[in-house]
Amino acid sequence: MVALGVAPAARANGGHDGDRDKVQIRTVATGLDSPRHLAFGPRGDLYVAEAGRGGPGPCFVGGEGPACMGASGAVTKIDRWGRQYRIASGLASMANTPDNDNAIGPHGIIVTDNDRVLITNGGPTEPKDATGATIFRETLADQSPVASLFGKVLKINRQGRAIPRADIWDYERDFNPDKVVGNPAVDSNAVDLLQDGDRLVVADAGGNALDTVDQYGRVKNLALFPNRAGVPNPFGGPPISMQAVPTSVNKGPDGQYYVSQLTGFPFPTGGANIYRVDPATGAVSTFATGFTNLMDLAFGRDGTLYALEIDHDSLLGPLNDGALYTVSRSGEKRQIALPPDTLPFPGGITVGDDGLYISINGGSPGAGAVVRVRLR
């Protein structure tokens, strides 16, 4: 373990192409269950959302195959002295069986100026029974009460208890904003959040939406990301319609929201964008293009935008190496050259005083870690 430095003065080395001789990689946390997004607190402590490893059930057919749920989601803190421990556990998680991998659970995380931790607990991503009928969250909660945390923004209090702040899944069920331009099914997976004044802004990957939450917990849709038509089917047949799947939201130096795109199936190489969203009107424009399966974004103090791909050769490709880019204010991207196997299946990125902090092995129970990437 290493001391992490003080995050509020974040000063990363922006705009560098980087070469492998000038990059330092150090592991700062290990033993995590499917780690996703990260955030620094005001005192320099690093917090990581762990999507978990599912559990004993109930079980169902999820979007990526058979899955079981349980109370294995968590939030880990790596304090400024490098000590690692969980500040919250027992959160809702679902994972593919039989290996308990590719979990969905705690994902987005922010830490406010008064050291309050907020997370999104994603899922349950349209679970179905053996007949293909949708299982609603309330049905899961009747069998396992922790399922009631799926789809919510949660505040983690100082005792580690999760207190509901807003219900994104409930909003999707009642209004389903993307039913015409995206996915007609009730499908929600809250994956990131941003605090902007008195409101929270939440990226819903399942709902292809950017939603806002007011101080009373009321949810409202701000922007939608429509399907892309005419995408070639890698398995042959006619072209298909591909969902957008937003994965993170950050506020830029210009006051606009920046949203990364994973894309849905068939996860085309070079097919993902970074979008810019007007916070007042919700108008969406394309800021940068040519990425593959983006997972997270982070701004450096100098205004450089860092973009993280979860899988550089596509989620359907044979490799699982992610990739890291800098993006200029004009939308020009440059890949940062890293040694092979530096970023296996990365789950999130944040900027610290002494480098970039990235979670890796984001789909693996117990094998997750956080690395610091320092560009010299």
Side-chain angles (χ1 to χ4, degrees):
M1 297 299 176
V2 296
L4 299 183
V6 180
R11 187 175 62 238
N13 298 310
H16 289 286
D17 229 357
D19 67 43
R20 294 182 178 93
D21 294 331
K22 296 182 179 180
V23 175
Q24 291 182 339
I25 312 295
R26 178 171 290 183
T27 300
V28 300
T30 59
L32 303 173
D33 287 340
S34 300
R36 302 299 165 79
H37 290 184
L38 319 89
F40 276 103
R43 290 185 272 187
D45 303 315
L46 180 63
Y47 297 80
V48 187
E50 296 180 75
R53 55 174 68 210
C59 300
F60 43 79
V61 180
E64 299 179 3
C68 293
M69 61 151 292
S72 59
V75 176
T76 281
K77 177 179 179 179
I78 305 106
D79 70 21
R80 49 198 177 277
W81 298 285
R83 298 174 300 197
Q84 174 184 335
Y85 47 93
R86 283 182 172 150
I87 64 163
S89 58
L91 304 175
S93 171
M94 56 176 279
N96 291 128
T97 57
D99 297 323
N100 300 322
D101 56 2
N102 298 320
I104 292 174
H107 195 119
I109 185 167
I110 59 173
V111 187
T112 65
D113 290 342
N114 62 358
D115 223 18
R116 183 177 65 170
V117 177
L118 295 170
I119 67 167
T120 58
N121 199 134
T125 65
E126 200 186 354
K128 298 182 182 296
D129 63 21
T131 69
T134 296
I135 304 171
F136 286 102
R137 182 183 61 185
E138 288 76 11
T139 302
L140 295 175
D142 286 341
Q143 302 174 65
S144 178
V146 73
S148 64
L149 298 180
F150 278 130
K152 292 181 178 178
V153 176
L154 304 173
K155 180 179 77 172
I156 306 299
N157 70 11
R158 298 191 186 281
Q159 291 74 42
R161 181 181 169 214
I163 302 171
R165 173 72 172 78
D167 195 334
I168 307 301
W169 189 93
D170 193 56
Y171 181 79
E172 164 73 7
R173 181 194 60 193
D174 291 347
F175 297 98
N176 196 1
D178 74 322
K179 61 185 175 184
V180 175
V181 301
N183 183 2
V186 174
D187 185 7
S188 178
N189 186 18
V191 292
D192 200 21
L193 74 167
L194 160 73
Q195 185 175 35
D196 188 18
D198 290 335
R199 73 178 183 179
L200 299 174
V201 185
V202 180
D204 185 349
N208 300 296
L210 203 62
D211 297 329
T212 61
V213 178
D214 68 15
Q215 56 187 326
Y216 303 105
R218 295 175 299 200
V219 182
K220 183 179 179 181
N221 180 249
L222 176 65
L224 294 174
F225 303 92
N227 289 357
R228 187 184 308 168
V231 176
N233 189 331
F235 301 115
I240 60 177
S241 179
M242 181 181 72
Q243 292 187 48
V245 191
T247 50
S248 71
V249 55
N250 282 255
K251 189 174 183 178
D254 57 357
Q256 300 290 293
Y257 298 150
Y258 288 78
V259 178
S260 59
Q261 178 188 24
L262 180 76
T263 76
F265 178 85
F267 313 109
T269 302
N273 301 318
I274 298 174
Y275 295 107
R276 184 162 46 198
V277 178
D278 187 307
T281 67
V284 177
S285 59
T286 301
F287 172 67
T289 63
F291 300 94
T292 302
N293 302 148
L294 286 171
M295 191 66 163
D296 201 6
L297 304 173
F299 278 97
R301 189 178 183 183
D302 63 358
T304 298
L305 177 60
Y306 295 92
L308 180 69
E309 293 178 341
I310 189 172
D311 196 325
H312 186 56
D313 72 341
S314 163
L315 290 169
L316 295 183
L319 305 176
N320 69 347
D321 281 347
L324 180 63
Y325 293 82
T326 62
V327 187
S328 71
R329 297 189 184 192
S330 63
E332 178 185 359
K333 71 179 190 298
R334 290 186 179 182
Q335 186 175 353
I336 297 173
L338 298 172
D341 303 318
T342 297
L343 300 179
F345 210 69
I349 181 172
T350 193
V351 180
D353 183 59
D354 55 353
L356 307 174
Y357 287 77
I358 301 172
S359 64
I360 59 173
N361 293 323
S364 302
V370 175
V371 295
R372 185 192 67 193
V373 177
R374 178 179 285 177
L375 310 176
R376 293 188 294 175

